[in-house]
Amino acid sequence: MKIQNNAVVAIHYTLTNNAGEVIDSSEGKDPLKYLHGAGNIIPGLENALVDCCVGDKKDVVVEPRDGYGERDENLVQKLPREAFGGIDTIEVGMEFQAQGQDGSVQYVSVEKVEDDGITINANHPLAGETLNFAVSVEEVREATESEIEHGHVH
Ligand SMILES: [Zn+2]
């Protein structure tokens, strides 16, 4: 059967950025299963898989607007070093949990370390990145009623 809404799909994938670095891959793991049409995966990838069948292989380029969004400069903030009291060494790339304004947990990463402050970034790590997926379709089946009701694969 072809991939369409309410199909359960299993894919193997390798995700690389435009520099050719592998960001994520299902290689050596179970394939990724998702419910098509339920927004389980990023829209750019979901849309590209419509009408594919088991055994299909596809290279998909996803622009930021169809992936993890454009980078939002409002989510980049420079804080005084005192805000990191109790942490001895702060390096670029370190990740912290912070409390968002609505009380939710937010992940921020250190983007710049300077004498007069530390710049943190609360964007999704892949915001602003063009994503290159190499995908192979491993399985396509009809979703069960309860999967459709729940919006995810069981
Ligand atoms: Zn469920």
Side-chain angles (χ1 to χ4, degrees):
M1 71 180 263
K2 288 181 173 180
I3 295 177
Q4 52 197 287
N5 284 351
N6 296 332
V8 169
V9 183
I11 55 170
H12 271 303
Y13 67 95
T14 295
L15 168 59
T16 52
N17 63 17
N18 274 354
E21 295 160 343
V22 175
I23 297 169
D24 191 15
S25 175
S26 65
E27 210 174 306
K29 296 183 246 175
D30 287 336
L32 171 74
K33 285 190 179 176
Y34 76 95
L35 176 61
H36 195 89
N40 293 169
I41 61 173
I42 55 171
L45 184 57
E46 188 167 57
N47 293 339
L49 290 170
V50 171
D51 285 343
C52 286
C53 306
V54 171
D56 283 356
K57 288 181 172 22
K58 211 166 179 184
D59 291 320
V60 181
V61 178
V62 178
E63 299 297 336
R65 66 174 179 279
D66 298 319
Y68 293 99
E70 300 287 353
R71 183 183 154 98
D72 181 354
E73 292 306 325
N74 292 322
L75 297 177
V76 179
Q77 222 184 335
K78 190 167 181 174
L79 300 174
R81 277 185 175 265
E82 296 82 76
F84 297 84
I87 304 165
D88 289 336
T89 315
I90 296 172
E91 289 170 336
V92 171
M94 280 175 78
E95 290 187 352
F96 294 96
Q97 279 185 18
Q99 192 101 342
Q101 278 168 350
D102 58 354
S104 64
V105 175
Q106 232 179 5
Y107 291 88
V108 300
S109 64
V110 174
E111 194 156 271
K112 235 191 267 175
V113 177
E114 293 164 305
D115 286 341
D116 64 339
I118 288 157
T119 304
I120 58 163
N121 175 10
N123 283 285
H124 188 282
L126 294 176
E129 293 263 11
T130 298
L131 308 171
N132 304 286
F133 287 94
V135 181
S136 66
V137 179
E138 305 294 321
E139 189 191 339
V140 184
R141 66 164 169 84
E142 306 269 4
T144 64
E145 262 175 52
S146 77
E147 285 173 325
I148 293 168
E149 201 178 303
H150 288 196
H152 57 231
V153 177
H154 287 153

